[in-house]
Amino acid sequence: MAELTTTKLNAETHLLLDQPLLRLPHELARKNFKTVQKHVERERDVILSSLKSTANASLAGQDAMQAISSLDNMINRMQGLKRKMESLQGEEKILHQHSRKRIQHLQDLYEIPSLADVKYDEWSRVRLNRLLVDYLLRNGYGESARALAREKGIEELVDLEVFVQCHKIEESLRRRSTQECLAWCAEHRPMMRKTSNNLEFELRLQHYIELRRNGQLLEARQHAQKYIAPHKDTHLDKIHRAAGLLAFPPDTQAEPYKTMYSQSRWNSLASLFVRTHHELFSLPARPLLHIALSAGLSALKTPSCHSKYASSSSNASSSTTSVCPICSTELNELARNLPYAHHTKSNVENDPVVLPNNRVYGRDRLLQMRDKLGLGPGQVKDPTTSEIFEESKIRKVYIS
């Protein structure tokens, strides 16, 4: 019964890490719907207005050829709308296909009864591959991520194009170009308004700074009046500082103008764009691989793992070996700054006693080691530090 309890699979806890798997297709589908709605409403207003004008002109005796020309223009607009709708419908079908595939992938987990089932190993390998692709995409290795996804057959379970586009815009900002990011902001402006994001303002401000840096004072003032001044209700202090740039050259040492002229602002803009992008599409700020690895390391970590007497291949002071993953050379440093997991059960040895060095062991374990090592009567040896103590100095431990 105990074995069944420990190996029973709890699908709900596993899926805590996989929430973005369904969130992103949902956000993309919602964006697609909003785009369709915008195109339809815009073309509807134009067509109805043109139709009304053409009808009124015909009743007023307008030449028939002009009326036919107006109708041809309306037909062309409707055909253009149809092509846009077909393209957006194709994108929506792909999103629905990806969502069905992902839902089925998650449903497969609920059909696995035990952690010992071979199907769980297969499902876990698929998830590990997804996490690796996510990590590669976030670090700009788009082609490697695409190749791995293709090799493992998980293209529909990962978000290749979304991250590739994000990395492309991020790199354009690091190359000191705002054009691509401003186009992205224009496309997602309705979504950004709901989050009160200041990315577009910062981009406009940076363009103003570059105009001032290049000595284009007239263009800088015109740009500020058109794009920066409208934000006076929310960014008044920054607007005042931006106005002060007109009086300070790019090589000034006066703050805050020196900082505003700094090229490091481009890196800050790139980071701001990535944060904004992930917030809009409900993506975690950290790679999923980091989250999973952190959770796993914390679950296995104990205070003894980083003791100076820890039994690990990375610790020269240890006289024993351990199969603990956290004590291994590869994972010991990674887990050092992570918190300890919350344990609801204790695995204390029977009849615990404390040695003079404040280390706790089971009495039977110490006596068995003494007999095995051939120590003198009344002596015990610490299994970890190899220190030898008089048996009379050990004290019994009472756990409350």
Side-chain angles (χ1 to χ4, degrees):
M1 185 67 181
E3 182 180 356
L4 179 62
T5 303
T6 55
T7 61
K8 183 178 179 181
L9 190 148
N10 187 338
E12 298 296 333
T13 57
H14 279 67
L15 296 187
L16 291 175
L17 187 64
D18 293 305
Q19 294 180 22
L21 193 64
L22 295 180
R23 281 182 180 175
L24 184 56
H26 172 73
E27 294 296 336
L28 293 175
R30 185 170 66 173
K31 173 194 167 188
N32 187 280
F33 173 78
K34 293 293 184 182
T35 303
V36 170
Q37 187 179 39
K38 180 181 68 175
H39 286 314
V40 170
E41 291 177 351
R42 183 175 59 195
E43 295 300 328
R44 178 199 63 191
D45 294 341
V46 172
I47 294 297
L48 289 178
S49 177
S50 299
L51 190 61
K52 183 177 180 180
S53 300
T54 302
N56 291 336
S58 298
L59 293 174
Q62 184 187 42
D63 181 64
M65 294 304 296
Q66 292 182 357
I68 292 175
S69 177
S70 297
L71 291 174
D72 286 340
N73 289 334
M74 285 185 276
I75 292 173
N76 290 334
R77 290 190 70 95
M78 293 303 295
Q79 289 176 341
L81 176 62
K82 179 184 177 182
R83 288 191 293 270
K84 291 178 182 177
M85 294 299 101
E86 290 174 346
S87 175
L88 291 170
Q89 184 187 32
E91 294 178 10
E92 187 173 0
K93 285 182 178 179
I94 294 175
L95 290 173
H96 289 170
Q97 181 181 351
H98 288 184
S99 294
R100 284 194 295 270
K101 187 75 173 180
R102 295 175 185 207
I103 291 172
Q104 183 59 51
H105 171 65
L106 299 180
Q107 181 61 35
D108 291 343
L109 185 64
Y110 284 88
E111 298 173 0
I112 302 174
S114 168
L115 295 172
D117 196 309
V118 65
K119 292 182 179 179
Y120 177 72
D121 291 338
E122 296 173 357
W123 191 91
S124 297
R125 280 195 290 271
V126 172
R127 180 163 73 169
L128 176 59
N129 290 329
R130 287 197 298 105
L131 299 185
L132 290 173
V133 170
D134 174 83
Y135 180 81
L136 291 171
L137 288 170
R138 288 171 181 266
N139 287 275
Y141 301 105
E143 292 304 318
S144 298
R146 195 183 302 275
L148 177 60
R150 188 185 305 113
E151 178 184 344
K152 302 300 181 180
I154 57 173
E155 292 97 333
E156 295 175 328
L157 300 179
V158 293
D159 306 295
L160 293 168
E161 299 305 325
V162 172
F163 279 103
V164 168
Q165 182 193 31
C166 175
H167 181 69
K168 185 183 299 183
I169 297 176
E170 179 189 2
E171 287 302 307
S172 71
L173 288 172
R174 298 190 189 280
R175 294 194 304 269
R176 303 173 188 177
S177 171
T178 60
Q179 183 177 356
E180 293 88 343
C181 195
L182 283 171
W184 185 88
C185 289
E187 182 182 356
H188 299 84
R189 188 170 291 122
M191 299 172 65
M192 294 175 65
R193 285 173 182 164
K194 296 179 181 179
T195 60
S196 301
N197 192 277
N198 65 339
L199 174 61
E200 186 170 2
F201 171 80
E202 292 293 341
L203 291 170
R204 299 293 186 186
L205 177 59
Q206 186 62 39
H207 187 64
Y208 166 83
I209 293 172
E210 295 306 312
L211 290 173
R212 173 63 186 91
R213 191 196 308 275
N214 296 328
Q216 299 172 271
L217 300 182
L218 178 60
E219 291 83 351
R221 286 196 294 268
Q222 292 174 343
H223 177 84
Q225 291 172 357
K226 184 176 181 180
Y227 296 110
I228 297 179
H231 296 274
K232 60 181 182 297
D233 294 335
T234 54
H235 298 90
L236 186 60
D237 290 342
K238 289 187 176 182
I239 293 175
H240 286 166
R241 289 196 291 270
L245 283 177
L246 296 174
F248 290 86
D251 58 354
T252 182
Q253 297 300 310
E255 292 289 357
Y257 309 109
K258 178 182 177 181
T259 301
M260 295 180 71
Y261 277 122
S262 173
Q263 297 292 351
S264 63
R265 267 185 58 86
W266 288 105
N267 292 330
S268 300
L269 282 175
S271 300
L272 176 60
F273 163 72
V274 172
R275 289 198 303 271
T276 302
H277 176 274
H278 292 355
E279 288 174 6
L280 290 187
F281 291 110
S282 301
L283 295 169
R286 298 171 58 200
L288 294 174
L289 184 63
H290 287 185
I291 298 174
L293 188 59
S294 298
L297 292 175
S298 289
L300 297 173
K301 181 180 176 180
T302 64
S304 63
C305 290
H306 293 96
S307 166
K308 66 178 181 178
Y309 298 113
S311 301
S312 72
S313 56
S314 62
N315 188 353
S317 301
S318 174
S319 60
T320 60
T321 59
S322 172
V323 294
C324 171
I326 309 302
C327 294
S328 68
T329 306
E330 296 81 7
L331 299 179
N332 193 261
E333 281 302 316
L334 286 177
R336 183 173 297 277
N337 295 320
L338 292 176
Y340 298 107
H342 174 65
H343 297 284
T344 57
K345 295 182 179 180
S346 175
N347 295 317
V348 178
E349 300 177 43
N350 292 328
D351 193 13
V353 294
V354 59
L355 299 178
N357 61 359
N358 294 322
R359 303 184 71 85
V360 178
Y361 302 97
R363 183 186 295 273
D364 291 341
R365 180 182 176 189
L366 294 176
L367 296 180
Q368 290 174 4
M369 177 171 283
R370 179 182 65 185
D371 296 339
K372 183 178 180 180
L373 297 177
L375 298 178
Q379 290 184 321
V380 292
K381 182 177 181 179
D382 188 321
T384 302
T385 66
S386 299
E387 296 176 271
I388 297 178
F389 302 99
E390 295 296 327
E391 186 176 358
S392 59
K393 295 183 179 180
I394 65 175
R395 293 170 292 143
K396 186 173 178 59
V397 174
Y398 296 92
I399 301 176
S400 58

